Each structure stands twice: as structure tokens, then as C-alpha cells.
């Protein structure tokens, strides 16, 4: 985990440092350009004095005053139409020549400005000259101590271990010692012959990594939480695996019943038996989790037997309420292939004449049977059909129960999956899909149940399309046995959809 965090952290830092330093370099150039622009604005008024032919004795106090006020210019000299500085803020009258190469740069610059390198006469320190002029080449030359620009850059990069140098034309201004650097980055100004170069040493990288240590911690703790969460799921799964085998004895399973309503007269035709697992510590576990688990552990037959027992008991104990009402039981794919399971059911049909009338099987099929499995399925379906058992095709249209499957055997009922109902009334093409499914069912002499009906609008459309049976929260959610019996007692044979009845949709 630590090494993975370090790898992710290194990739992050590599990518991020490159972006960060590029940004800082460009920002440094921009800030120096702004500082020079500001200095030009602060000193511009002097150009008028030069044009007005003021003598040096008149000009010098103004130059000193401007130097005093300026943030960057520490010495100012002026020239008029030629490269001779005739007056300066420090010495008054002078006759200093500006190099012709520098003067050429001013002439050819679109904004008539440039930077140059100089070494101050007294301190012999490297300095920067900022020179600009108007269109008549009356101009100003200013000495800017490099530390002013260094301060600007330091304020932006805010990192002591990043060495940099400023280059004006081809001269290094700071001459920093950067021999042991690993990599450098160069940033150029578009306006001035100005370059900033960052030198990255081992120290720079270490200090950068340290400043981003919180990222490493975040990565580490995120990975740790993912790992712990995954472990929790694995442990939960393992504990589910071990507890499902005892859950039946511990009476943690319960069968719920959801009504299936005839759409023409709203009478209750039957119900679907849906299994519920109430785990003592993990609470309610949805069937989509525990059914596949039971299938994997070879426990599904016991569970299905339990559901069938409960369904049969319902008819035995409440014959008046359950009269002419079937209970449909979901049969897992594994059991469709099992001869033992089928023979057991046939035995029930023989022993209890009403079994085949009272119980129906819902089957979902995805067609990926091997040849020998397919032979078993054919045999089992044939036997069940001959015994009078009604077989429903579940989840039709989802890609699991396909057309081939439906055509192969005689199924009693087609259960159309709830995905076709969800947007009914909002997606016009759904009506056509349903119409073709209904035509198919009619041609195969099958009844149709549409699942997942939740609204009056959906019900109205389905009734208009001629759907036989409806199952969905609109009538009731799946109910535990006592509530299911109440429901049957209250509604009798005819189901009214009124808001009061939604009390069953708990
Ligand atoms: P299924 O066979 O398609 O069952 C219908 C599912 O749709 C049920 O979910 C039911 O509660 C839900 N449902 C019914 N009406 C509506 C509605 O109007 N809106 C919405 N959103 N849902 C509705 P449940 O009970 O969670 O069961 C899920 C799946 O678990 C079942 O899907 C079935 O495949 C499986 N299952 C449940 N009990 C058993 C069982 O005893 N044996 C086997 N093999 N599978 C079972
Ligand atoms: Ca079902
Ligand atoms: Ca279904």
C-alpha cells in the first residue's frame, strides 16, 4: 500500500511540478514586464521636460524626485534624439554614451524600449538598465538593481530551494551557483531581451515533495479506506456465506406475496412469492444478493422448497381466501436442469391434485445451456407441462428470456419486465415494443403479465393496449403473509386502485 501510494504520489508530483514551475516562470516574466510598465508610467512626464528643452540644472531635481518616488528606478539619465545621456539624477550634467547596439534595439522595438546589462561605476555590481524613448527618440535610461526583480520573483515562487537566474541579453545578472542542477527551465519575455531560468537541484525536488506531503497522506488514506472497505465486503460476504446455510433453520427467511391483478375487472388473479432474508446483524439482505449466493453454495433447492412449502401452506390454511388464486414461485436456472427437482415436483402433483392448479413456476432463461443441459431442460419442461404445472417466462425482453426460448415450449404466461414500463407514456417507441410483445404472446396463445406498474398513467396505457394482468407497486408492494391475507380479505375479488389502498405499499 505504501509503495503504491508512493508511485501514485511520484506520478502526481512529476506531472504537477512541471505544470507548477511553468506557471511560476511565466508569472515571473509577466510580473517583471508589469513592473517595467509601471516604471515607464511613473517616469513618462520627464519626456515632456526633455521635449521642452529644459536644461540639466532644471531637470536634475525632477529626476532626483522621480527616483525618490519610484519603486524600481534608482538612477535616471535622459537623452534627446541621440545616444548621449546628457543629464543624470546622480551627477547632473554628463556625457555618457549609450552603446549603439542598445540604441538600435530601442529604435527597432515597436514600443521603443529595451533592457541592457550594466555594471555600476561605484559598486561594480551587475545592474539592469531599462531604457525607453518616444518616437523622436527623446528618452530615459534607468538603473534597476537586480535585487528588486529578485524580490519580485521570490514573492511568486515562494520556494527557497529553487535557484534561478535572470539573463538580460546574453548576460547573467545574478550569476547564481547552479552547477549541480538536474534540470533547468527557461522562460523568455516577448517584449524584452529578458530570460528567467529555473535550476532544479535535488534540494529543490525534496523541498517540493515535502511541501506536497499532504497529498501523499491523502493518497495513502484513500487507498487504505478502499482496502478496508473491500476487506469489509469480503468479510461480510464470507460471513453471509457461512450464515445463509443456517438461516433457514434459524427462521430468518420469510416469503412475501405480491398481487397479480387482472386488468379487465381488477380481480386478484394470484400472486408472486418473493423471498426475504432478515439477517440478525446485517438486517434486510436483498434477494439479488442472497439468491446468487445460495445458487453458488448449492443451497437454492432448499430455499425454493421452502418457498413452495409456504405457498402450498397458504392454500391449505386459507382455502377461502386463496380460492382460484395461484402463487407463482421463482425457479433458478440450476433447478430447471435438475431431474431430481423436477421429479420431486411431479411427485407433489401426483400426491396433491390441487398442487398444479395452485402453484406456477417463473423461469428466466438466458439460452447458454450446453447440449446435455438443453436435453435435461426439454425433458423437465415436458414432464412439468404434462403434470399440469403452469410455466411463466420471467423478465421477458431483458435479454435473458429471449424469443427462441419462448417459442421452444408451451409457456402459459409471458411476464414483461419492468424496464418497459418505467418510461411508458414518455418514450413513444415503448408502446410499439409492447404492442409487438403482445402480438407475439397472442400468436403463441400466452397470457401476459406486465411487471413494475407504479402509476395510473402506466396502468391506463397498458389497459388500452390490452394487457391481461398487472403486477406492481400501484396495487401493492410484496407483503408478508399476515398483511397479504388482510389484503385478500379487504379486496375480495375486485381490486380498486384508490389512494387508501396504497397503505399496502409499505
Ligand atoms: P423478479 O422475479 O423479477 O421479481 C420482481 C421484483 O420486482 C421483486 O423484487 C419485486 O419486489 C419488484 N417489483 C414488483 N413491483 C414493482 C414495482 O412496481 N416497482 C419496482 N421498482 N419494483 C417492483 P425483489 O423482491 O427484490 O426480487 C428481486 C429478484 O430476486 C426477483 O426478481 C427474483 O429474480 C429474485 N427472487 C426473489 N425471490 C426469489 C426466490 O424465491 N427464488 C428465486 N430463484 N429468485 C427469487
Ligand atoms: Ca419473478
Ligand atoms: Ca420479473
Amino acid at each position: 500500500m505504501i509503495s503504491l501510494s508512493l508511485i501514485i504520489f511520484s506520478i502526481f508530483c512529476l506531472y504537477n511540478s512541471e505544470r507548477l514551475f511553468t506557471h511560476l516562470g511565466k508569472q515571473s516574466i509577466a510580473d517583471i514586464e508589469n513592473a517595467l510598465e509601471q516604471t515607464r508610467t511613473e517616469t513618462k512626464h520627464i519626456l515632456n521636460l526633455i521635449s521642452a528643452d529644459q536644461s540639466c540644472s532644471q531637470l536634475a531635481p525632477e529626476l532626483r524626485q522621480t527616483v525618490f518616488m519610484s519603486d524600481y528606478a534608482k538612477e535616471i539619465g535622459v537623452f534627446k534624439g541621440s545616444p548621449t545621456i546628457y543629464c543624470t539624477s546622480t551627477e547632473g550634467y554628463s556625457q555618457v554614451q549609450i552603446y549603439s547596439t542598445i540604441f538600435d534595439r530601442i529604435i527597432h522595438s515597436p514600443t521603443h524600449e529595451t533592457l541592457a546589462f550594466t555594471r555600476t561605476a561605484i559598486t561594480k555590481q551587475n545592474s539592469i538598465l531599462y531604457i525607453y524613448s518616444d518616437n523622436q527618440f527623446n528618452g530615459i535610461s534607468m538603473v534597476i538593481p537586480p535585487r528588486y526583480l529578485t524580490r519580485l520573483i521570490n514573492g511568486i515562487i515562494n520556494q527557497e530551494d529553487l535557484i534561478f537566474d535572470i539573463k538580460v541579453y546574453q548576460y547573467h545578472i545574478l550569476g547564481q551557483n547552479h552547477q549541480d542542477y538536474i534540470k533547468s527551465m527557461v522562460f523568455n519575455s516577448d517584449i524584452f531581451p529578458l530570460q528567467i531560468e529555473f535550476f532544479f537541484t535535488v534540494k529543490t525536488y525534496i523541498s517540493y515533495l515535502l511541501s506536497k506531503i499532504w497529498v501523499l497522506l491523502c493518497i495513502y488514506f484513500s487507498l487504505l479506506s478502499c482496502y478496508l472497505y473491500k476487506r469489509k465486503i469480503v468479510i461480510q460476504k464470507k460471513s453471509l456465506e457461512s450464515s445463509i446455510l443456517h438461516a433457514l433453520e434459524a427462521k430468518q427467511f420469510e416469503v412475501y406475496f405480491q398481487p397479480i391483478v387482472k386488468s379487465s375487472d381488477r380481480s386478484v388473479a394470484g400472486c408472486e412469492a418473493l423471498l426475504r432474508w432478515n439477517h440478525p446483524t446485517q438486517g434486510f439482505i436483498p434477494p439479488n444478493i442472497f439468491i446468487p449466493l445460495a445458487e453458488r453454495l448449492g443451497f437454492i433447492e432448499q430455499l425454493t422448497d421452502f418457498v413452495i412449502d409456504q405457498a402450498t401452506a397458504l392454500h391449505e390454511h386459507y382455502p377461502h381466501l386463496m380460492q382460484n388464486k395461484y402463487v407463482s414461485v421463482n425457479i433458478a436456472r440450476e433447478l430447471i436442469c435438475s431431474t431430481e427437482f423436477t421429479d420431486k415436483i411431479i411427485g407433489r402433483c401426483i400426491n396433491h391434485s390441487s398442487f398444479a392448479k395452485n402453484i406456477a413456476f417463473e423461469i428466466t432463461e438466458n439460452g447458454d445451456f450446453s447440449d446435455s443441459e438443453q436435453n435435461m431442460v426439454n425433458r423437465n419442461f415436458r414432464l412439468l407441462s404434462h403434470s399440469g404445472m403452469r410455466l411463466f417466462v420471467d423478465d421477458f425482453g431483458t435479454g435473458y428470456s429471449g424469443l427462441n426460448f419462448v417459442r421452444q415450449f408451451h409457456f402459459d404466461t409471458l411476464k414483461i419486465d419492468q424496464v418497459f414500463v418505467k418510461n411508458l407514456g414518455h418514450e413513444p417507441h415503448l408502446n410499439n415494443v409492447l404492442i409487438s410483445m403482445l402480438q407475439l404472446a397472442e400468436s403463441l396463445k400466452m397470457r401476459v403479465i406486465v411487471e413494475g406498474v407504479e402509476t395510473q398513467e402506466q396502468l391506463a396505457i397498458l389497459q388500452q393496449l390490452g394487457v391481461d394482468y398487472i403486477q406492481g407497486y400501484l396495487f401493492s408492494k410484496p407483503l408478508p403473509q399476515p398483511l397479504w391475507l388482510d389484503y385478500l380479505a379487504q379486496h375480495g375479488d375486485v381490486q380498486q386502485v384508490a389512494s387508501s389502498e396504497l397503505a399496502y405499499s409499505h
Side-chain angles (χ1 to χ4, degrees):
M1 179 104 49
I2 292 179
S3 21
L4 181 61
S5 309
L6 282 171
I7 291 170
I8 298 174
F9 179 60
S10 314
I11 294 170
F12 166 83
C13 286
L14 213 71
Y15 173 72
N16 207 48
S17 64
E18 190 85 14
R19 270 187 48 183
L20 173 75
F21 291 125
T22 305
H23 168 75
L24 294 181
K26 286 183 178 166
Q27 191 61 49
S28 303
I29 290 281
D31 273 29
I32 293 179
E33 286 171 356
N34 284 343
L36 296 176
E37 177 68 38
Q38 179 196 326
T39 309
R40 184 170 180 153
T41 312
E42 280 169 4
T43 53
K44 214 163 54 187
H45 63 280
I46 296 171
L47 290 179
N48 297 335
L49 305 179
I50 300 169
S51 305
D53 280 336
Q54 283 207 351
S55 68
C56 186
S57 53
Q58 287 170 303
L59 256 175
E62 184 54 40
L63 297 185
R64 286 183 200 120
Q65 168 80 6
T66 307
V67 165
F68 181 72
M69 301 296 287
S70 170
D71 286 338
Y72 297 100
K74 286 306 132 203
E75 195 182 321
I76 298 181
V78 292
F79 55 93
K80 185 172 166 44
S82 74
T84 309
I85 292 178
Y86 66 91
C87 188
T88 72
S89 58
T90 44
E91 292 168 8
Y93 284 103
S94 83
Q95 278 293 313
V96 178
Q97 285 300 311
I98 298 172
Y99 285 121
S100 57
T101 49
I102 300 174
F103 203 69
D104 274 354
R105 291 211 299 270
I106 300 170
I107 292 169
H108 292 116
S109 148
T111 44
H112 297 310
E113 60 189 336
T114 192
L115 289 180
F117 167 83
T118 183
R119 204 177 282 258
T120 46
I122 307 161
T123 59
K124 300 282 182 229
Q125 272 194 346
N126 292 349
S127 270
I128 296 165
L129 278 181
Y130 171 40
I131 311 163
Y132 72 87
S133 77
D134 60 14
N135 289 337
Q136 283 73 50
F137 306 110
N138 300 332
I140 298 169
S141 161
M142 287 162 273
V143 176
I144 299 179
R147 67 174 185 284
Y148 289 11
L149 302 189
T150 314
R151 219 176 283 161
L152 261 183
I153 299 172
N154 274 329
I156 293 163
I157 61 177
N158 197 17
Q159 194 171 339
E160 286 166 17
D161 292 307
L162 176 61
I163 301 168
F164 62 86
D165 202 354
I166 301 172
K167 211 164 142 188
V168 168
Y169 212 49
Q170 71 261 48
Y171 301 101
H172 288 283
I173 303 295
L174 306 178
Q176 299 244 41
N177 178 19
H178 47 70
Q179 262 135 34
D180 53 352
Y181 71 92
I182 300 168
K183 184 185 158 183
S184 77
M185 275 172 119
V186 172
F187 306 95
N188 289 299
S189 163
D190 294 336
I191 306 170
F192 301 104
L194 169 75
Q195 193 177 75
I196 295 175
E197 192 164 6
F198 288 168
F199 299 96
F200 302 96
T201 61
V202 175
K203 253 177 113 180
T204 323
Y205 283 112
I206 291 176
S207 124
Y208 175 76
L209 291 179
L210 287 177
S211 75
K212 292 280 176 277
I213 205 80
W214 62 272
V215 176
L216 178 63
L217 290 176
C218 285
I219 294 171
Y220 177 74
F221 283 114
S222 310
L223 286 178
L224 188 68
S225 352
C226 283
Y227 170 74
L228 290 177
Y229 178 71
K230 251 187 124 176
R231 242 185 69 157
K232 192 179 143 206
I233 300 274
V234 170
I235 292 170
Q236 249 178 16
K237 230 174 143 183
K238 281 213 170 108
S239 94
L240 279 188
E241 282 182 16
S242 62
S243 54
I244 196 170
L245 300 171
H246 309 287
L248 206 50
E249 291 159 35
K251 299 195 187 321
Q252 289 165 11
F253 283 111
E254 194 180 352
V255 179
Y256 277 44
F257 302 93
Q258 186 179 29
I260 295 168
V261 173
K262 195 169 179 186
S263 78
S264 57
D265 61 3
R266 301 194 175 182
S267 58
V268 181
C271 60
E272 179 174 3
L274 293 158
L275 201 49
R276 297 288 178 262
W277 181 11
N278 202 351
H279 192 280
T281 54
Q282 295 188 31
F284 168 74
I285 295 163
N288 297 336
I289 303 277
F290 72 79
I291 294 288
L293 185 66
E295 286 186 79
R296 201 152 46 79
L297 298 175
F299 186 57
I300 192 70
E301 187 166 347
Q302 269 173 275
L303 279 184
T304 310
D305 285 344
F306 170 73
V307 179
I308 294 173
D309 287 344
Q310 298 285 305
T312 333
L314 203 60
H315 282 100
E316 273 171 27
H317 297 141
Y318 307 97
H320 55 293
L321 287 174
M322 287 300 291
Q323 201 180 11
N324 298 328
K325 293 177 183 60
Y326 62 83
V327 181
S328 66
V329 175
N330 290 284
I331 304 295
R333 168 202 148 93
E334 184 195 320
L335 298 182
I336 314 171
C337 305
S338 158
T339 47
E340 291 78 21
F341 178 76
T342 310
D343 294 347
K344 197 163 58 186
I345 298 298
I346 307 292
R348 279 187 186 246
C349 291
I350 294 167
N351 293 334
H352 302 277
S353 55
S354 56
F355 183 83
K357 185 166 81 74
N358 294 339
I359 307 295
F361 284 165
E362 295 197 5
I363 294 152
T364 310
E365 204 273 341
N366 59 8
D368 58 353
F369 290 119
S370 67
D371 284 352
S372 63
E373 281 177 331
Q374 189 66 54
N375 288 339
M376 287 296 174
V377 174
N378 293 353
R379 170 200 176 267
N380 295 340
F381 279 1
R382 217 175 26 246
L383 286 175
L384 289 170
S385 262
H386 284 162
S387 305
M389 289 290 306
R390 276 175 289 177
L391 303 179
F392 294 5
V393 176
D394 202 1
D395 302 336
F396 184 70
T398 54
Y400 287 106
S401 291
L403 212 55
N404 269 348
F405 180 60
V406 174
R407 285 209 186 106
Q408 258 173 355
F409 303 99
H410 175 69
F411 289 101
D412 184 80
T413 300
L414 197 67
K415 288 192 81 172
I416 296 179
D417 194 78
Q418 45 185 283
V419 293
F420 298 99
V421 183
K422 220 165 234 156
N423 293 323
L424 202 58
H426 305 282
E427 286 179 26
H429 75 277
L430 279 178
N431 288 34
N432 295 333
V433 175
L434 281 171
I435 288 169
S436 47
M437 286 181 180
L438 293 173
Q439 280 168 350
L440 172 82
E442 197 183 354
S443 69
L444 294 172
K445 304 203 172 8
M446 294 167 80
R447 278 184 263 262
V448 170
I449 300 174
V450 173
E451 290 186 285
V453 179
E454 295 184 356
T455 65
Q456 289 283 6
E457 187 191 7
Q458 292 166 346
L459 177 68
I461 296 172
L462 293 170
Q463 279 177 325
Q464 213 174 31
L465 293 177
V467 169
D468 305 319
Y469 298 96
I470 305 288
Q471 182 182 347
Y473 293 171
L474 179 66
F475 291 105
S476 170
K477 281 193 170 180
L479 302 169
Q481 185 177 302
L483 287 181
W484 166 241
L485 295 172
D486 284 354
Y487 181 90
L488 282 178
Q490 262 195 44
H491 296 287
D493 281 341
V494 179
Q495 166 75 49
Q496 297 292 325
V497 183
S499 53
S500 63
E501 279 154 339
L502 296 178
Y504 284 94
S505 310
H506 66 111

